Amino acid sequence: MYLHGLDTPIEYLKGVGPERAKSLKKELNIHIYEDLINHYPFRYIDRTEMHSVSQLTADSGVVQLIGKISNVDTVGEKRAKRLTAVFSDGTGVLNLVWFQGIKWVKPQITNSEKFLVYGKINAFKGRLTITHPEIEAVSAENASGLAKASLQPVYSTTDLLTRKGLHSKGIARLAKALMPIVDQSLKETLPATISEILKLGPRKVAIKNIHFPSDKIAYQKAQYYLKFEELFFIQIRLLKLKKNRQLKHKGFVFVEVGNYFKAYYNEILSFELTNAQKRVVKEIRKDLGSGKQMNRLLQGDVGSGKTVVSLLIMLIAIDNNFQAVLMAPTEILAQQHFKSLASDLEKVGVGCAILTGSTKQAERKIIHEELLSGKIKVIIGTHALIEDTVQFKNLGLIVIDEQHKFGVAQRAKLWAKNKNGIPHVLVMTATPIPRTLAMTLYGDLDTSIIDELPPGRKPVKTIHQYEKHRAKVFGFLKEQVDKGRQAYVVYPLIEESETLDYNYLMDGYESISRMFPLPEYKIGILHGRMKPEDKEIEMQKFARGETHIMVSTTVIEVGVNVPNSTIMVIENAEKFGLSQLHQLRGRVGRGAEQSFCILLSSYKLSLNAKVRLETMCRTNNGFEVAESDLKLRGPGDMMGTQQSGITDLKISNLVTDGKILGLAREMAQKILEEDPSLEKHPLLLNELQRKKKRFKNWSRIS
Ligand code: ADP
Ligand code: MG
């Protein structure tokens, strides 16, 4: 009935039945035999070492003994009721005690057999005792198996399953029952060439040893196999997606570097590009001329100059008679891009407009028309650009700033805006993301990295201070402002309690207003409850130097550029995530003067918060910050990962398995280069299709 045994519904497994099957499905997503096999233990009890009673002290910890159990007795009444027994292995004796499960344990103990006893030693009234030991009869037949099953699997389970007898051991029993089927019918998934190169051995051995490893080495090998396999299939899927796209979609060919580009580059651009910027422009130009559709991720630290790169690329699009879109995640950012780019674009004669949620209807109509006629060549905006009413004459390039805020479906909608083909796509991240995460999350994109800041930047000095020293900190802020510089004071934003945050911000605003009285000092305020126009007005005032101190929530987080601001004080810095702190810090240090970022916190700091603040003080390098952030939070909580499916990794770990991931990607690349459609690798193709069917959320990555 079922093809290879492992696709049999779980209820058919002996010891499961319909009731438990229902719970297994609901609680652990285990539907068929194979799912259970893929439910790997999350740790192991080490049973490689055997102890003898004579060596033991009260501090011996968890021990494993072999011997006889005698003097079994139930003593005490009601809540004090317990089962006691004496264990002896010939070198000495100790007590065993059970308070719970007496009626299960008692019948297991017989005088004739030897027992394996496992548990933590303690001393009770001067006698060595193990409370709630695990015991297992050692009959002749499993005595030989004993030495082998030295690492005992521990499975994750749930309360409900435990109540139905499927505690870790219960699950282990089921897994064990499946091992003969694994032996018989588990198929290889990896090409023989890879298994040989990496000395991976057969898959069934890996599966058997991940559940019931014979020793530590066997376990490590199994773990390596399964980690590689997991990461490899993600990579092959992403890279295949990329290949398919390249094969399917011809890219518009941008051959010309024409007058617009040259005019801007030679006459308007007021600084020399950094070497990293030049390299990246070259990489992108190569894509644009290749005849393949570009899908490239541009990573660079805060302030590394991604915008000008995107502008140059947009000019190339226009030189080739295409239009370009620059999409930002917020109104403020879109406005800012527009402000900084529109005048330059107009200087070289490129029509440019902005379209956001707050664009008036009448204006909108004109923009729609001019996009269709081709009069507008660059359109800058927010999500509003995605709407179906926005159509183009000939859209050739999409630049997405600060990608993580956009969903996959939104990307796809933009793609569809040229009937003759798919526009080139350049995605820019707000801050660097760790290498392993980039490879997984954006594994279907090519990557360019700007790893160099424009010259003359002084690294921001970051200092952690306790709130007690707030007066001193604001005294320093005053010195800066009196020197003619501008300052940010940032308050946390915790979405669950907007009102509280708001009050907190307002309190802060008031006390700062008292500290910095009018007319000498002007203070601006910026928060999420303001209308976009008002935010814009405040931001503009600050940008023009009309306000000296900007009191704000994290709405200034991304992109905003005011080079004269040299100091930022972050209140309750312990409440911010690491990437967010780094992004905020990027608002200062944009001019020639020395800048400061002061992190204020309470004394009560979690270990995690301490590491965050220390990391900020230690390094200005966004790539380092990102790695540290990944270590602290794990991939699941990093921006953009929640809906990506990579949090479903079963066995590998993006923090520690970077090497295996690199290898997996390399191998996947090699295979796809030689065999893009995988027709020579039916095993892989088959497995990919199977996985796709079984894990629908995989498709969400791309
Ligand atoms: P980000 O990568 O964070 O988006 P921006 O593109 O906003 O950074 O650039 C930050 C600032 O650096 C801008 O004021 C920009 O004009 C300036 N800039 C960019 N490239 C250079 C360069 N090569 N030399 C000098 N200044 C530069
Ligand atoms: Mg930017």
Side-chain angles (χ1 to χ4, degrees), residues 81 159 161 178 193 228 312 407 439 469 547 602 605 623 681:
K81 190 169 164 183
D159 280 350
L161 285 170
L178 287 177
T193 46
F228 178 85
L312 289 167
M439 249 194 256
H469 303 298
T547 42
S602 69
L605 290 179
F623 288 92
H681 293 86

Side-chain angles (χ1 to χ4, degrees), residues 124-348:
F124 184 71
K125 290 190 178 157
R127 284 200 67 168
L128 294 180
T129 306
I130 302 178
T131 309
H132 284 278
E134 289 177 33
I135 61 167
E136 194 180 330
V138 188
S139 56
E141 78 201 45
N142 72 6
S144 60
L146 244 182
K148 274 195 208 148
S150 50
L151 288 175
Q152 210 174 61
V154 182
Y155 294 89
S156 63
T157 179
T158 66
D159 280 350
L160 181 73
L161 285 170
T162 305
R163 266 184 270 126
K164 294 188 173 171
L166 290 180
H167 35 62
S168 170
K169 269 201 169 165
I171 292 175
R173 218 171 291 129
L174 298 181
K176 189 123 225 169
L178 287 177
M179 289 303 125
I181 305 179
V182 167
D183 242 348
Q184 263 168 34
S185 58
L186 188 75
K187 294 206 172 67
E188 292 296 311
T189 57
L190 294 170
T193 46
I194 288 189
S195 301
E196 272 160 32
I197 294 171
L198 298 181
K199 301 192 173 64
L200 290 176
R203 181 162 195 263
K204 58 179 70 161
V205 173
I207 289 288
K208 276 163 77 174
N209 280 333
I210 204 71
H211 289 280
F212 307 104
S214 48
D215 55 44
K216 277 182 193 152
I217 290 172
Y219 160 67
Q220 280 160 359
K221 278 180 81 171
Q223 195 192 34
Y224 185 83
Y225 182 108
L226 295 169
K227 282 181 174 189
F228 178 85
E229 185 195 36
E230 178 169 61
L231 296 170
F232 175 79
F233 273 99
I234 292 175
Q235 289 306 318
I236 202 115
R237 200 185 59 78
L238 289 168
L239 291 167
K240 191 160 181 304
L241 202 74
K242 180 172 154 188
K243 266 259 146 52
N244 281 353
R245 224 161 34 207
Q246 288 173 349
L247 292 172
K248 207 159 76 189
H249 310 305
K250 279 220 192 80
F252 302 129
V253 183
F254 295 178
V255 273
E256 291 282 319
V257 171
N259 292 334
Y260 289 122
F261 182 96
K262 285 179 196 152
Y264 177 82
Y265 196 83
N266 296 329
E267 287 153 36
I268 314 284
L269 187 61
S270 58
F271 46 74
E272 168 98 12
L273 292 185
T274 62
N275 285 330
Q277 284 170 320
K278 285 182 192 163
R279 189 191 68 237
V280 165
V281 170
K282 250 189 221 152
E283 284 167 3
I284 297 172
R285 273 193 55 194
K286 206 170 153 207
D287 284 359
L288 300 178
S290 71
K292 289 176 187 151
Q293 187 236 353
M294 172 176 82
N295 273 289
R296 193 168 273 277
L297 177 71
L298 176 56
Q299 286 212 65
D301 209 342
V302 192
S304 62
K306 295 182 285 287
T307 320
V308 66
V309 169
S310 74
L311 176 62
L312 289 167
I313 302 309
M314 289 195 280
L315 289 169
I316 296 178
I318 295 157
D319 276 332
N320 289 274
N321 291 317
F322 285 92
Q323 290 162 295
V325 154
L326 172 58
M327 190 157 87
T330 65
E331 174 102 19
I332 290 191
L333 266 182
Q335 292 285 358
Q336 187 179 302
H337 277 316
F338 184 69
K339 294 276 147 58
S340 71
L341 300 183
S343 66
D344 280 358
L345 284 168
E346 256 142 46
K347 278 183 209 154
V348 295

